[in-house]
Amino acid sequence: MMRWLGLVLLGTITSLLAVQRAIAEESVWKSGDFHWKVGPRLVSVNQEHFPESEHPWVAVKDPSIVRYQDRWHLFCTLRNQSKGDGRIRIGYCSFEDWPDAANADWRLLDLTMQYHGAPQIFYFEPQKKWYLIYQAVDESRGLSYGPCYSTNDSIDDAESWTKPAALYVVPEGKKAGLDYWVICDDSLAHLLFTSLNGQMWHAKTRLDQFPNQGWSEPEVVLTADIFEASHTYRIRDRQQYVTLVEAQHGKRRYFKLFVANHLDGPWSPLAASREKPAVSVRNVVNQEDSWATSYSHGEFLRAGHDQRLVIDPDNLTMLFQGADDREYQKGGYGDITWHLGLLKQVKLP
């Protein structure tokens, strides 16, 4: 009898805790009152582990990452001190756990020596291929600046990515945008990007026409005080999407969040002001110990690795590029020594 009562009590406590967690999770997605704890620098420029280069590497930035076969697979923009072709490349590394990230060996992808960067990685299940989406120009291939893609059968085979091909050719006179991002639902592939004038754009095509056919003409779906790097995800167990997008104020970068029931909008602000940001120095609980004052170009860690880009609302963690005020303000944008680190959501009492 006592054992039965104990099991009943244990079940009741477990149910109450589950309800409390659900209430807490629901409240933050309604209030937008997010708080974060920043960890130490995880990845910085390390000439020993970076590919050999005539010019020293300056920054590791624009991270996109997935967990696959018990390893993290990280793609980033790498920038060196040269001025011409080859100064900006996409690099790849893999590691088992976060403490191993700093000493992971990087490899450059053999895509083009002309400008390319800001990668996004995902596995496209309908074709059983890995896709890398990025911005690039390659005059040798007749590509003007715009959204490009490469594919690979194996995510860890850095030498086998296909050469850049255009998702679509940007019509003359139209904004090309930047920081291209693809997310799919059950029938459509959606492309989102920003244009540095406070606008986020959206285009779509059928899954069977992805990657380079049937795209609709891009349309503005969000106008706000936003800047670049809009990254969009499906919230698990909800018919709802969230966009994490970078903003700037003064000499610092920070993040805003918008939510929508459909990828073509309407997008509503959730944590989207300087007073109530998604992430900034205002809501990082250990900001006094933080190595960053600018929080930039962030990627939520996903609950999977496919084209749906699902995130777990109960376990939000973000990989971001960051810099302190001295690093951010010491010269031009290309001189900033960006590092990578993790932000983990915390729930305050």
Side-chain angles (χ1 to χ4, degrees), residues 73-89:
H73 299 268
L74 174 61
F75 295 80
C76 289
T77 306
L78 305 182
R79 184 167 191 142
N80 66 35
Q81 288 181 346
S82 65
K83 300 299 183 182
D85 286 347
R87 73 187 185 280
I88 297 174
R89 304 284 299 274

Side-chain angles (χ1 to χ4, degrees), residues 135 145 147 167-168 170 174-182 190-203 216-222 226-232 245:
Q135 55 203 35
Y145 175 84
L167 277 178
Y168 68 85
V170 178
K174 295 290 186 179
K175 285 188 175 296
L178 76 166
D179 295 333
Y180 300 101
W181 191 260
V182 169
H190 302 259
L191 174 69
L192 296 110
F193 58 91
T194 49
S195 51
L196 292 184
N197 60 350
Q199 293 180 327
M200 184 173 77
W201 300 71
H202 169 268
S216 62
E217 183 171 335
E219 296 181 349
V220 176
V221 291
L222 173 63
I226 56 176
F227 187 50
E228 61 185 10
S230 60
H231 296 166
T232 303
V245 60

Side-chain angles (χ1 to χ4, degrees), residues 39-234:
R41 291 176 180 170
L42 284 174
V43 180
S44 297
V45 167
N46 183 331
Q47 308 298 341
E48 179 182 350
H49 293 282
F50 274 41
E52 289 187 13
S53 173
E54 180 182 354
H55 303 279
W57 296 100
V58 175
V60 52
K61 58 193 293 287
D62 307 334
S64 187
I65 192 165
V66 291
R67 185 77 175 175
Y68 178 68
Q69 293 185 341
D70 298 323
R71 295 185 68 84
W72 292 108
H73 299 268
L74 174 61
F75 295 80
C76 289
T77 306
L78 305 182
R79 184 167 191 142
N80 66 35
Q81 288 181 346
S82 65
K83 300 299 183 182
D85 286 347
R87 73 187 185 280
I88 297 174
R89 304 284 299 274
I90 291 178
Y92 162 78
C93 74
S94 176
F95 48 91
E96 186 174 348
D97 208 350
W98 295 110
D100 308 320
N103 295 319
D105 289 322
W106 286 81
R107 287 175 281 174
L108 295 177
L109 306 192
D110 183 19
L111 301 174
T112 174
M113 290 301 290
Q114 292 187 279
Y115 171 78
H116 61 293
Q120 179 206 4
I121 182 69
F122 61 86
Y123 184 70
F124 190 59
E125 284 187 333
Q127 297 175 6
K128 307 300 182 187
K129 286 184 179 294
W130 289 97
Y131 267 78
L132 202 64
I133 308 296
Y134 51 98
Q135 55 203 35
V137 57
D138 189 341
E139 294 173 356
S140 68
R141 302 176 63 79
L143 294 177
S144 300
Y145 175 84
C148 292
Y149 70 92
S150 295
T151 65
N152 202 334
D153 292 329
S154 301
I155 191 173
D156 56 355
D157 186 356
E159 287 73 40
S160 295
W161 287 97
T162 59
K163 298 297 184 182
L167 277 178
Y168 68 85
V169 177
V170 178
E172 188 173 349
K174 295 290 186 179
K175 285 188 175 296
L178 76 166
D179 295 333
Y180 300 101
W181 191 260
V182 169
I183 178 173
C184 302
D185 56 27
D186 291 337
S187 58
L188 297 171
H190 302 259
L191 174 69
L192 296 110
F193 58 91
T194 49
S195 51
L196 292 184
N197 60 350
Q199 293 180 327
M200 184 173 77
W201 300 71
H202 169 268
K204 61 188 176 184
T205 189
R206 297 200 317 262
L207 289 184
D208 61 359
Q209 292 190 301
F210 182 80
N212 58 359
Q213 298 179 32
W215 287 102
S216 62
E217 183 171 335
E219 296 181 349
V220 176
V221 291
L222 173 63
T223 299
D225 180 18
I226 56 176
F227 187 50
E228 61 185 10
S230 60
H231 296 166
T232 303
Y233 305 86
R234 168 76 179 265

Side-chain angles (χ1 to χ4, degrees), residues 180 281 289:
Y180 300 101
V281 295
D289 301 318

